[in-house]
Amino acid sequence: EPIHLRKVRACHIGHLVTIEGIVTRITEVKPLLRVATYVCDTCGSEIYQEVNGKQYMPLNVCPSFHCKENQTGGRLFPQTRGSKFIKYQELRLQELANQVPVGHVPRSLSVHVAGELTRTCNAGDHLSITGIFLPEVASGFRAIKSGLTANTYVEAMTIKRHIQSFEESELDTDSIEQLKKVHEEGNIYSRLAKSIAPEIFG
């Protein structure tokens, strides 16, 4: 059962949650560094550094046994071709219109997508996303500025599209009969105009 975005709270941090909403914004797919590779100019060793976040501190001094034994302190040069990158994308998920209380602003939540889950949805899609609800840990000056507060996001594990597009969606028999009935009654334009923002009067 999906949780409403409005009901996702601090008690869900670190837990697996399923949320439902509409994609309002989506970024381009970009490469995200996962393993950085370096080559020492003194001993020629290849050094690997695992990267678990969006920011990391590159290595400068070779930590190999050869350089430590000789106390040479060889310099490391990054090798892009030997490093490992994964596909990465961010999207903004907004709660559905029927879940927003009258007079309130719709809430939204950031979702981080990686690997084969990228390019599986577009802006305007109705999705159910299962993932881990996590805080976004800041570092450096951002950590000092943010203090004890932190932004939150969902690390997506699975993405399910409810309606892929209007061309691929199919109308059931009841909907077709209702459309025929409205067409026969006429006054379609005035009925559409009255259906816009029915809570607002005057």
Side-chain angles (χ1 to χ4, degrees):
E1 186 70 23
I3 304 174
H4 294 181
L5 286 182
R6 196 171 290 269
K7 295 182 179 179
V8 178
R9 306 189 185 280
C11 61
H12 293 104
I13 290 179
H15 291 75
L16 194 69
V17 297
T18 300
I19 55 177
E20 185 180 3
I22 295 177
V23 180
T24 57
R25 183 176 58 86
I26 191 165
T27 64
E28 294 290 332
V29 178
K30 298 179 180 179
L32 180 67
L33 183 64
R34 275 290 170 252
V35 179
T37 305
Y38 306 89
V39 173
C40 177
D41 63 346
T42 303
C43 65
S45 301
E46 279 193 352
I47 307 299
Y48 302 98
Q49 180 186 12
E50 186 177 359
V51 181
N52 295 318
K54 288 186 178 180
Q55 299 176 349
Y56 77 106
M57 181 64 69
L59 301 177
N60 294 321
V61 181
C62 179
S64 68
F65 176 77
H66 184 274
C67 286
K68 285 183 177 179
E69 189 179 38
N70 297 331
Q71 297 182 354
T72 54
R75 291 182 57 192
L76 294 178
F77 292 90
Q79 299 293 315
T80 306
R81 296 184 65 179
S83 301
K84 181 183 177 181
F85 295 86
I86 61 171
K87 293 182 288 185
Y88 176 78
Q89 194 175 28
E90 290 185 16
L91 57 91
R92 196 78 181 173
L93 198 71
Q94 182 177 290
E95 61 182 339
L96 301 173
N98 58 0
Q99 298 174 356
V100 182
V102 178
H104 288 69
V105 178
R107 294 189 180 179
S108 58
L109 185 64
S110 294
V111 179
H112 295 182
V113 184
E116 298 304 319
L117 292 177
T118 56
R119 294 194 178 97
T120 56
C121 57
N122 300 307
D125 287 349
H126 179 194
L127 305 178
S128 287
I129 297 177
T130 301
I132 304 174
F133 186 54
L134 296 169
E136 190 170 357
V137 181
S139 60
F141 178 74
R142 288 180 59 192
I144 300 173
K145 187 177 180 181
S146 60
L148 299 177
T149 61
N151 296 324
T152 54
Y153 67 96
V154 171
E155 189 74 35
M157 301 298 172
T158 60
I159 296 178
K160 179 184 177 183
R161 298 175 66 180
H162 293 282
I163 301 176
Q164 296 185 355
S165 64
F166 288 106
E167 292 81 5
E168 298 174 5
S169 59
E170 296 181 357
L171 293 175
D172 54 7
T173 308
D174 294 336
S175 299
I176 294 173
E177 289 179 358
Q178 289 179 6
L179 287 173
K180 288 181 179 179
K181 185 179 179 181
V182 171
H183 179 69
E184 292 171 358
E185 291 176 356
N187 258 348
I188 297 176
Y189 180 79
S190 60
R191 295 178 69 176
L192 285 173
K194 290 179 181 178
S195 68
I196 298 174
E199 300 92 353
I200 302 173
F201 181 79

